[in-house]
């Protein structure tokens, strides 16, 4: 018995010595010791894994940022083809209405319906997107690009007015499908530091698409068919990127009970090599929120965390659409011509597109620094001021007042209106729908919100000719100014700030639960795959 005790004491002393000798090593290594009792013998198996240095972690973070930016650019290419549909009627209508003997000719009512049918089809695309997105974000973007391609080819090959309407309706469906998948994809994959900026890229690319189609219209002003064919090239490019480059969203993979793939994709987006352990914060980001058992979709939809943001976003889209933003987009050439602006209306449309694109780039940076509320309020105040000035200018001019500005004031007011609208009202709502809804209902509520928003757009586009007859141009602009100002009051009272918050924290803002604190754990050993995957599943 004494010998056994002595042996145990010796083993204990040896363990203490080994521990002392490994004290310094443990600062830079992960050490896992498994003690197995086999046939009365104690065997110690030590697995040592080098902990990454500070420089390596910085490199991973830098690689992750680069990958996030590249993927953000790639997925937003899918917006270009559909986005050109917003500006196509503005540049194609004059060519379609011009007298000709060898091609189709539309009257004023037919030209208005060409724009209206697109606006009516957009909500259908939004609702269709909510169904397709459940099959995957990549599938949704692929379907969007394919439908966009079909729409442009239909317009290019049109032999009748009815076929043009069919092509425009198909393009409208793709326009409705384009916004949400890209915004949601970015919101689900990029880090919270970059999300405030990158979720605005969908609007940036839409503005870029508008600029491109306005340039096409200026260069090819007499050939609406060739403009449509040029627009068809961009969905082809998007399809190639979706098939060959873009991975599936990590959060969608997680929700489909595919945690291994979700973890692999998320590590790519964070720049972590495959053979390295996943940090605790990454696993926490992928860990689904605990839900009550047997809750169906309707129960998730009627939660406070779903209903409150839904009402807020619907209100914001109402003020966006009835402040005239999309009326100016759809009727850019005609509005430039009727506002007393003494320049080529096609060049004016290009200026509108260039202004919107430039400011959308600026808004991406402003949104990262100032969030959602401040740019939105500044945007509404600016729109109110410049629409009011333009309305007053046209009123005075119509009543015989001679203006010595040679048409400069309308140009400045319209350009500044475009500037201010893009700063907030145009971009912020589309950016927020990708981040403000809980994961369980994001597919449905984000698309439903945008669908109703575009429903507002269809109403305003169809109402515009009647408003013009009843109120004249200055009255229409005054109406836009009033709605913009009321929108500022709404934003001040109700719009939440999401800047710098994780998706989990945003959801908690609208529920009664406290924000869940991130555990202060260190690096989780990914080599113990069942534990890591189990954390994602539980």
């Amino acid at each position: 018995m004494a010998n056994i005790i002595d042996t145990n004491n010796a083993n204990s002393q040896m363990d203490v010595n080994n521990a002392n000798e490994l004290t310094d090593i443990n600062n830079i290594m992960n050490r896992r010791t498994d003690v197995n009792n086999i046939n009365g013998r104690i065997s110690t198996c030590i697995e040592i894994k080098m902990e990454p240095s500070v420089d390596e972690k910085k490199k991973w973070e830098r690689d992750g940022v680069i990958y996030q930016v590249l993927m953000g650019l790639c997925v937003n290419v899918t917006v270009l083809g559909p986005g050109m549909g917003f500006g196509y009627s503005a540049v194609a209508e004059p060519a379609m209405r011009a007298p000709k003997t060898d091609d189709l000719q539309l009257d004023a009512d037919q030209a208005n319906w060409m724009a209206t049918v697109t606006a009516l089809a957009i909500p259908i695309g939004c609702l269709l997107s909510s169904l397709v997105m459940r099959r995957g974000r990549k599938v949704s973007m692929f379907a969007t690009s394919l439908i966009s391609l079909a729409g442009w080819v239909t317009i290019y090959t049109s032999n009748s007015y009815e076929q043009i309407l069919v092509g425009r309706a198909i393009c409208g469906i793709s326009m409705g499908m384009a916004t949400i998948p890209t915004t949601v994809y970015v919101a689900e994959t990029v880090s919270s530091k970059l999300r405030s900026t990158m979720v605005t890229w969908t609007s940036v690319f839409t503005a870029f698409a508008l600029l491109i189609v306005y340039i096409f219209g200026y260069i090819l002003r007499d050939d609406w068919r060739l403009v449509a064919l040029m627009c068809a090239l961009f969905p082809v490019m998007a399809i190639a990127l979706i098939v060959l480059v873009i991975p599936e969203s990590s959060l969608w993979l997680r929700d489909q009970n595919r945690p291994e793939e979700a973890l692999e994709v998320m590590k790519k987006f964070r720049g972590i090599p495959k053979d390295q352990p996943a940090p605790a914060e990454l696993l926490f980001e992928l860990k689904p929120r605990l839900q009550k058992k047997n809750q169906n979709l309707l129960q998730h939809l009627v939660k406070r965390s779903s209903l409150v943001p839904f009402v807020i976003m619907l209100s914001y889209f109402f003020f966006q659409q009835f402040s005239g933003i999309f009326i100016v987009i759809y009727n850019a050439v005609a509005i430039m011509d009727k506002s007393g602006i003494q320049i080529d209306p096609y060049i004016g449309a290009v200026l509108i597109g260039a202004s919107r694109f430039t400011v959308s780039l600026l808004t991406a940076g402003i949104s990262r620094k100032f969030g959602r509320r401040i740019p939105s309020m500044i945007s509404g105040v600016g729109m109110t001021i410049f629409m009011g000035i333009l309305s007053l200018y046209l009123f005075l001019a119509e009543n015989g007042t001679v203006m010595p500005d040679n048409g400069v004031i309308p140009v400045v007011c319209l350009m500044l209106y475009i500037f201010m609208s893009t700063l907030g009202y145009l971009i912020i709502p589309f950016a927020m729908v990708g981040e403000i809804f809980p994961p369980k209902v994001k597919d449905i509520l984000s698309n439903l919100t945008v669908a109703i928003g575009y429903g507002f757009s269809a109403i305003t586009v169809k109402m515009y000719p009647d408003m013009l007859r009843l109120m004249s141009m200055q009255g229409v602009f005054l109406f836009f100014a009033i709605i913009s100002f009321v929108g500022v009051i709404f934003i001040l009272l109700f719009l939440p700030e999401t800047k710098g918050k994780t998706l989990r924290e945003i959801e908690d803002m609208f529920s009664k639960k406290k924000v869940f604190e991130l555990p202060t754990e260190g690096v989780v050993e990914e080599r113990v795959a069942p534990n890591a995957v189990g954390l994602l599943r539980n």
Side-chain angles (χ1 to χ4, degrees), residues 77-85 88 144-157 167 171 174 209 212-213 216 220 224-240:
V77 171
T78 63
V79 177
L80 293 179
M84 291 177 180
Y88 180 75
T144 299
S145 300
L146 200 60
I147 293 173
S148 176
L149 177 60
W152 289 120
V153 172
T154 301
I155 295 172
Y156 173 73
T157 59
C171 285
S174 72
I212 294 174
V213 77
F216 286 165
L220 307 168
W224 54 269
R225 292 184 186 274
L226 188 53
V227 172
L229 185 61
M230 297 295 291
C231 293
L233 298 176
F234 293 88
V236 175
M237 185 191 312
I239 290 172

Side-chain angles (χ1 to χ4, degrees), residues 493-518:
L493 297 178
F494 300 109
L495 190 71
E497 183 56 75
T498 60
K499 172 180 173 288
K501 293 181 172 62
T502 65
L503 298 183
R504 186 180 292 260
E505 290 170 339
I506 292 172
E507 181 179 354
D508 286 328
M509 283 197 304
F510 300 106
S511 65
K512 297 179 181 180
K513 298 178 182 179
K514 294 182 179 180
V515 176
F516 190 89
E517 297 294 336
L518 180 67

Side-chain angles (χ1 to χ4, degrees), residues 166-179:
V166 171
R168 289 291 288 158
I170 295 173
C171 285
I173 291 173
S174 72
M175 290 155 65
M177 294 181 66
T179 302

Side-chain angles (χ1 to χ4, degrees), residues 32 34 47 49 263 277-278 283 524-535:
R32 187 172 73 244
D34 296 325
E47 181 178 327
K49 189 177 184 67
L263 185 60
L283 295 177
V524 177
E525 281 287 353
E526 191 199 3
R527 292 194 60 165
V528 191
N531 292 340
V533 173
L535 178 59

Side-chain angles (χ1 to χ4, degrees), residues 300-349:
H300 286 291
L301 287 172
V302 298
K303 286 183 177 180
R304 187 177 187 275
S305 59
S306 301
L307 291 178
V308 172
F310 180 60
V311 173
I312 291 174
M313 294 313 302
L314 275 187
S315 302
Y316 200 165
F317 272 102
F318 174 85
F319 293 112
Q320 178 202 68
Q321 296 297 338
F322 282 88
S323 62
I325 293 175
F326 276 77
I327 288 179
V328 174
I329 292 175
Y330 279 114
N331 301 277
V333 175
I335 287 177
M336 295 292 289
D337 187 43
K338 294 176 182 178
S339 298
I341 297 176
Q342 301 174 9
I343 60 174
D344 184 334
Y346 282 93
I347 294 178

Side-chain angles (χ1 to χ4, degrees), residues 49-50 60 267 272-278 525-527:
K49 189 177 184 67
M50 292 294 296
W60 295 351
K267 287 178 67 175
I272 301 172
K274 288 184 177 181
D275 59 344
Q276 292 297 323
E525 281 287 353
E526 191 199 3
R527 292 194 60 165

